[in-house]
Amino acid sequence: MKNDKPGHFRAVRIALAATALTLLVPANPALAREAAKPAHPNIIFILNDDQRYDAMGFLDPSIKTPNMDRIAREGVHFRNAFATTALCSPSRASILTGQYMHNHGIADNNIKFRPGTFFFPQALQQVGYATAFIGKWHMGGHTDAPQPGFNHWISFKGQGNYLPDDGKGGPRHVLNIDGKRVEQRGYITDELNQYALDWLKQQSGKQPFFLYLSHKAVHADFVPAERHKALYSRDSIKVPDSMADTPENRAGKPMWVQNQRNSWHGVDFPYHSTLDIKDYKLRYNQTLAAVDEGIGAIIKQLQEQGQLDNTIIMMMGDNGFMFGEHGLIDKRNAYEESMRVPLIAFSGGMKGGRVVNDIVANIDIAPTFLALAGAKTDAKIDGMSFADQLMGRAVTGKPRTALNYEYYWEYNYPQTPTTFALRGDRYKYIQYHGVWDTEELYDLQNDPREMRNLIADPSLKNIVRTMRAALFAGLDPEEARAYVTFTERNGEGAVLRNRKGGKAADFPDRWMRNGDEADLRDNLKTEGGKKESISE
C-alpha cells in the first residue's frame, strides 16, 4: 500500500464509514470461485487489544458490532475463551508460540524473546503459505523490526498511536513497512484495515495465505475515530454492582484487591486522575466501532474475490479489561473480566450458528492453525488444537477441563501481586506469591461474578487441595520451568494513593487471634479433618 497519494486516506475514511469499500471486482466472479484453490484454508487472524469477552453487540446491547455479530451468528462463538496471562506482551507471545508464559519467557511488556524462539507462522511458510503481519507487535523491547515467519511486515514501536501526530505540529509517527520507515497518515485502525485490504487484493487464490491483523484498538487511552465520537450516550453505560465500596463487596476479597481500588488501577484513583469510569467505557465502545467496520470490509472483499468459502476469519482479544468490577480497572488479575476474551470465527463454508462451551485459550491458537494448515513443528507446544470444535466436526481426544493462569508482579505497577490460578469448568482457584494475603475459590456456576470467596468453606477443602496440586503441576515444576522474573527499576512505580479514597484493608477475620496462651499453644492447623504442621 502506498500511502503518499493525495486523497488516499480521505477515500479510506469515507469507505469505512459506510462499512463497504469500493473494491475491484473480478469481471466474472463465478470464474474466480471456480479457480484452483489451495488444499488448506486461508486464515485471517484479527487480534484486538484489551477487548472484553462481552464487548460485542450480541452480548452487550448497548453497543453495535454488526460484523462481529455476523461472525458469531453465521460461524462459531467460543464462550469460554481465555488468556493465560492478562497482559499484552505475554498473551501475544503465547499466541505466537503456543506456550505458557513460564515457557516462552515474555513475563512482562519489556522482556525480549530468547534467540531462536519458534513462531507458528514459520511452520505455515514451510507448507506454502504466504504470510503477513500488520499492526501491533509490542514484544521484544518494543521493536518494530520484521520478525521470523512473515513474508510481509507492517508494524510500529510499542503501543503505537491512534492519531498520526501529536496535534501540536510535531513530527508524524512512523510505521515499519518491510524494514522501511513510512509516516503514519491517518487514524491507525483505518490505516491498518486498509493495509490489510491492500495485501488481500494481491492474493490470487492459488497459494494459501495467513494474515495476522493486530490492532492497537481498543488500548487505552481510547481515541475513537472522528466519525464515531457521537456514537452512544453516557446513559447507556452501566457500572457493575461490585464497583461499590460496601462491606458486602469487600467480604472475602484479598487485601490487595481492597487496597487496589485506591491506586493507579482502581476506581478511587484511576491512573492517578479524576477519570470517570462511565466516560471511560463510553470512549472504549466508540473506539471499537472502527475495528468492527474493518471486519465488514474484509468479509466483503473476500466475497468479491471468491475466496470467502476457503478463508477462516477468526477474531480474538489479547486479554480482557475491567471497568469497575471489584473496584478495579485494567487487567492483570485472574478475575473473569480480566482473563476472559472474545473468540469468534467464520467462513463461508463453515457450519454456522454454533456456540462452543469447551475451555480454549490463547495457547491453543498456534496448534489449531497448524492443524488447519497441515503443518507440524518439533517446538514445545503447551496448547491443544480446537480445530474440530472450530469446524463443527466430532471432537477427537478429550477437551480441556481446566486452564492455568499466571501473572508476575511488576515493580512499576505494584498493585497486583504475582498471581497463579486454575480455571475449571465450575470452580476457579486463585493463589498469590510473595504477598501475605488470602487465596480465593469461586463457584462459577452459582457465582459467575465471583462475589463469594469460598476458600474457607470446610465442605470444599478437598476441592481446594486438588486444585492447588493441579495448578502447581501445570507450572511444569519437574522441568524447572516455573520462575519469578524481575526487571531493573528506574523509579518507585505508580505507588500513589488518594487521601480521600478507600482506606487500607484489614486481614481476614478468620486469621485473627487473641494472642493468649490457648491460641498459641500448639501452632497447628486443621485442614480436611487432619491436623498438619504449618510447614506441611
Side-chain angles (χ1 to χ4, degrees):
M1 173 180 174
K2 294 182 180 180
N3 60 5
D4 54 354
K5 294 181 179 179
H8 175 84
F9 280 96
R10 182 176 64 241
V12 172
R13 286 193 295 269
I14 294 172
L16 282 173
T19 67
L21 283 89
T22 302
L23 303 171
L24 296 175
V25 183
N28 188 337
L31 290 179
R33 293 186 183 92
E34 293 170 4
K37 291 184 177 179
H40 295 288
N42 306 314
I43 301 170
I44 298 176
F45 181 61
I46 302 172
L47 184 68
N48 301 330
D49 200 307
D50 287 355
Q51 184 176 358
R52 287 170 58 108
Y53 77 94
D54 57 357
M56 296 180 285
F58 69 95
L59 294 176
D60 182 354
S62 70
I63 60 176
K64 294 180 174 64
T65 57
N67 297 297
M68 296 181 197
D69 296 355
R70 177 187 175 184
I71 290 177
R73 183 176 64 251
E74 299 181 16
V76 56
H77 173 217
F78 292 86
R79 65 180 304 271
N80 285 312
F82 298 90
T84 51
T85 304
L87 185 60
C88 287
S89 294
S91 179
R92 290 160 187 270
S94 289
I95 289 169
L96 280 163
T97 64
Q99 296 178 346
Y100 279 111
M101 181 177 70
H102 62 264
N103 281 326
H104 61 61
I106 304 298
D108 60 29
N109 288 340
N110 302 303
I111 296 174
K112 296 181 179 181
F113 275 111
R114 301 183 185 104
T117 297
F118 166 79
F119 302 146
F120 77 82
Q122 293 174 275
L124 300 188
Q125 286 179 318
Q126 292 172 3
V127 295
Y129 273 72
T131 61
F133 182 90
I134 299 175
K136 176 179 175 179
W137 179 254
H138 197 230
M139 287 174 289
H142 302 285
T143 183
D144 64 357
Q147 298 294 315
F150 299 101
N151 304 116
H152 181 52
W153 178 267
I154 301 176
S155 190
F156 42 74
K157 291 185 177 180
Q159 297 287 358
N161 301 275
Y162 282 105
L163 301 177
D165 56 45
D166 60 9
K168 300 177 182 178
R172 285 185 180 271
H173 305 302
V174 297
L175 307 178
N176 184 325
I177 301 181
D178 293 325
K180 180 182 178 181
R181 295 291 192 279
V182 176
E183 286 187 348
Q184 180 179 332
R185 305 290 295 182
Y187 183 66
I188 192 62
T189 305
D190 293 350
E191 190 156 358
L192 296 178
N193 283 330
Q194 186 60 46
Y195 277 122
L197 291 169
D198 289 346
W199 187 78
L200 289 172
K201 287 177 186 177
Q202 300 171 24
Q203 309 312 307
S204 66
K206 295 181 180 180
Q207 178 185 14
F209 63 78
F210 170 69
L211 170 62
Y212 191 146
L213 176 56
S214 180
H215 279 295
K216 171 184 171 54
V218 281
H219 194 279
D221 190 11
F222 317 122
V223 179
E226 191 66 33
R227 63 186 181 274
H228 296 140
K229 288 184 176 179
L231 269 182
Y232 314 125
S233 71
R234 194 174 185 277
D235 294 339
S236 68
I237 307 300
K238 309 297 182 187
V239 298
D241 292 340
S242 63
M243 179 171 157
D245 190 7
T246 64
E248 294 78 13
N249 286 344
R250 291 192 298 270
K253 280 287 180 283
M255 292 184 291
W256 77 261
V257 173
Q258 299 178 59
N259 289 332
Q260 188 174 117
R261 70 175 293 128
N262 185 1
S263 79
W264 180 271
H265 286 147
V267 297
D268 286 356
F269 206 18
Y271 308 124
H272 296 167
S273 74
T274 57
L275 177 147
D276 180 274
I277 299 301
K278 278 195 171 187
D279 290 339
Y280 196 48
K281 182 64 162 63
L282 175 63
R283 293 202 307 274
Y284 177 94
N285 290 349
Q286 293 167 337
T287 303
L288 186 62
V291 175
D292 187 76
E293 289 178 354
I295 292 172
I298 287 172
I299 293 173
K300 185 175 188 292
Q301 179 162 308
L302 291 171
Q303 284 179 311
E304 295 182 356
Q305 290 180 213
Q307 297 198 62
L308 185 60
D309 285 354
N310 198 46
T311 301
I312 295 170
I313 303 172
M314 182 180 292
M315 189 209 80
M316 188 180 194
D318 65 345
N319 47 249
F321 204 83
M322 306 183 78
F323 287 99
E325 288 84 4
H326 313 297
L328 311 180
I329 61 171
D330 191 71
K331 56 260 186 175
R332 291 174 165 82
N333 57 71
Y335 295 128
E336 291 288 277
E337 294 83 5
S338 174
M339 66 179 290
R340 198 169 170 185
V341 296
L343 180 58
I344 53 178
F346 163 80
S347 170
M350 180 186 291
K351 180 182 177 183
R354 293 178 290 118
V355 176
V356 172
N357 291 314
D358 295 341
I359 294 175
V360 297
N362 52 1
I363 58 174
D364 300 333
I365 296 297
T368 297
F369 288 167
L370 293 178
L372 292 170
K376 296 182 180 179
T377 179
D378 293 329
K380 177 181 175 62
I381 298 285
D382 295 321
M384 55 193 295
S385 171
F386 57 83
D388 289 337
Q389 293 96 320
L390 174 67
M391 303 309 295
R393 303 188 294 245
V395 178
T396 57
K398 187 177 179 181
R400 177 186 284 109
T401 57
L403 181 77
N404 268 63
Y405 176 88
E406 54 189 341
Y407 165 80
Y408 291 163
W409 177 86
E410 304 165 88
Y411 85 82
N412 49 337
Y413 299 117
Q415 300 85 14
T416 307
T418 291
T419 302
F420 299 110
L422 187 71
R423 206 282 188 188
D425 285 326
R426 178 167 181 180
Y427 292 100
K428 180 191 290 183
Y429 166 70
I430 312 173
Q431 65 176 226
Y432 302 102
H433 178 80
V435 63
W436 187 8
D437 219 329
T438 184
E439 302 161 279
E440 295 174 273
L441 179 72
Y442 295 102
D443 181 346
L444 298 171
Q445 192 175 93
N446 296 307
D447 181 24
R449 300 298 179 189
E450 298 168 296
M451 297 302 298
R452 297 185 297 278
N453 184 5
L454 303 176
I455 196 67
D457 187 331
S459 68
L460 299 175
K461 286 191 177 294
N462 286 337
I463 289 176
V464 172
R465 186 189 295 271
T466 300
M467 295 188 79
R468 280 176 179 155
L471 185 153
F472 185 69
L475 292 173
D476 297 334
E478 298 302 319
E479 300 181 40
R481 298 283 184 175
Y483 67 95
V484 174
T485 187
F486 66 93
T487 53
E488 182 181 359
R489 282 182 178 262
N490 57 20
E492 280 193 294
V495 297
L496 305 183
R497 288 174 63 83
N498 185 344
R499 292 186 189 278
K500 298 178 182 178
K503 305 306 178 186
D506 292 326
F507 284 97
D509 187 65
R510 69 179 187 278
W511 290 6
M512 305 309 293
R513 297 292 185 270
N514 295 325
D516 55 26
E517 186 174 343
D519 276 341
L520 304 174
R521 186 167 41 236
D522 34 24
N523 191 30
L524 293 175
K525 67 176 180 178
T526 301
E527 183 173 290
K530 174 187 175 185
K531 281 195 171 184
E532 302 171 327
S533 69
I534 294 296
S535 63
E536 293 177 349

